[in-house]
Amino acid sequence: MKNIDINDILDEARKLEASDVHFTAGLPPIVRLHGSIKKLSGYPDFNEPMIINIINQITSIKHKQIIQKGEDADFSFVSVAGHRHRVNVYRQRGYHAIAFRLLRNDIPTLKDLSLPPLLGEFALRPRGLVLVTGPTGSGKSTTLAAMVDHINRSKNSHIITIEDPIEYLHTHKQSMINQREIKVDVDNFAVALRAALREDPDVILVGEMRDYETINAAVTAAETGHLVMSTLQTTGAAETLDRVIDVYPPHSQGQCRSQLANSLVGVISQTLVPTADGRGRVAALEIMSCTDAIGSMIRENKIFQIPSVITTGKSKGMFSLDQDLARLTRQGFITEQTGMTRCQDSKEYKRFLSMAM
């Protein structure tokens, strides 16, 4: 069989509106469509030489060397059609495998994503820490890109993004944007964050807070007069705050709570839920705004009380995941069965479902 062109497969996946494409030994190309995986018809089962051929089509000499050492490689790939993709090459059972995330070339607005106006308010704060959280593939990067674009359209700022790899390409509008890619422009997130403080930024976007060094640098930057936006793979505001604090050594956790209480702007937790018509997915959110009351709870180590404050914080723009799932159900975007599978507390979800909100 003639060599298979990766560009053809990626173009076909985009026509299907898939979010991801996977290559693994013993299967044809696999696409993720509206949250579920399915085989791409018309292709044979791939073997190791066929996967190596795909790797050779998409990698630079530098990334080939990383892969040949047996290490995972993260990078971006632009197809012949000009579409951007986030790529991870890894090994499983001694064979190579590839995961492509299909990215949009355009940057959606907050309105395009049906995100509440409070996110725009978060983005325009002069300083503080904004966290967007959720499981892998829940649209965190897209939400952050829309928030950065909102700043870019609205005010004169210097925005520095630190990403692994760069996903959305921003152009200078009202703001100046410098985008740094890990392993291309700088070694790691922590180094880039420390350097950013010497680069006169107003806004710093950190692609992911993965370790203590990065989290500590991000919290410190937010406390010293910058707006810092980042992501964590957590669900819910309370769990997110616990995760950040638990990364610190025990003797420093009190100081971390104090820093968060002073600098946190808000936490947006999101997950993508299949729509009732089966033709797509919609984002269900939990939004926490760091009010004085919540700041006191963080400082006093009473984070377990925060979920109840979110539930009753409608006047501040806050709502829980179960409240948002109930709203999506009432408006016909998702089925009640789907809401039941995604809610945090089925009794609360049903209670919110019966309320006119």
Side-chain angles (χ1 to χ4, degrees), residues 159-163 166-171 177-181 185:
I159 303 168
I160 293 178
T161 76
I162 306 163
E163 302 171 73
I166 291 171
E167 296 191 25
Y168 289 90
L169 291 176
H170 294 269
T171 57
I177 299 192
N178 286 307
Q179 295 183 261
R180 307 191 74 192
E181 186 163 323
D185 303 306

Side-chain angles (χ1 to χ4, degrees), residues 111-297:
K111 189 175 180 181
D112 291 339
L113 298 173
S114 301
L115 294 170
L118 186 58
L119 271 66
E121 295 175 26
F122 285 173
L124 296 181
R125 292 285 187 93
R127 66 190 68 81
L129 179 65
V130 177
L131 297 175
V132 179
T133 77
T136 301
S138 60
K140 299 186 295 293
S141 298
T142 303
T143 295
L144 273 180
M147 293 176 76
V148 167
D149 188 60
H150 185 70
I151 301 168
N152 195 9
R153 293 169 182 270
S154 305
K155 61 192 285 193
N156 298 316
S157 296
H158 179 202
I159 303 168
I160 293 178
T161 76
I162 306 163
E163 302 171 73
D164 183 19
I166 291 171
E167 296 191 25
Y168 289 90
L169 291 176
H170 294 269
T171 57
H172 309 298
K173 295 173 184 171
Q174 290 272 17
S175 293
M176 171 174 69
I177 299 192
N178 286 307
Q179 295 183 261
R180 307 191 74 192
E181 186 163 323
I182 302 300
K183 302 298 183 189
V184 175
D185 303 306
V186 66
D187 281 345
N188 58 58
F189 283 111
V191 168
L193 257 170
R194 287 194 290 271
L197 299 180
R198 299 190 295 274
E199 292 154 6
D200 187 32
D202 299 293
V203 179
I204 305 170
L205 180 144
V206 185
E208 189 177 350
M209 300 207 305
R210 295 177 179 169
D211 51 40
Y212 167 72
E213 287 76 17
T214 305
I215 290 173
N216 185 43
V219 171
T220 301
E223 198 181 32
T224 54
H226 307 86
L227 182 69
V228 179
M229 301 193 293
S230 190
T231 70
L232 279 165
Q233 292 191 7
T234 50
T235 55
E239 183 187 327
T240 298
L241 294 172
D242 283 335
R243 174 75 62 84
V244 170
I245 293 164
D246 286 348
V247 164
Y248 283 72
H251 67 273
S252 300
Q253 289 182 0
Q255 180 189 346
C256 173
R257 281 193 291 271
S258 179
Q259 286 180 297
L260 284 174
N262 293 333
S263 62
L264 188 66
V265 171
V267 179
I268 303 116
S269 298
Q270 62 184 64
T271 184
L272 293 178
V273 184
T275 52
D277 60 11
R279 297 171 61 183
R281 291 185 292 171
V282 64
L285 308 174
E286 175 180 283
I287 296 184
M288 186 205 81
S289 180
C290 191
T291 60
D292 289 343
I294 287 177
S296 295
M297 289 174 189

Side-chain angles (χ1 to χ4, degrees), residues 26-40:
L27 287 170
I30 300 291
V31 296
R32 185 172 292 277
L33 193 60
H34 310 322
S36 301
I37 62 170
K38 61 175 285 188
K39 295 176 181 178
L40 205 55

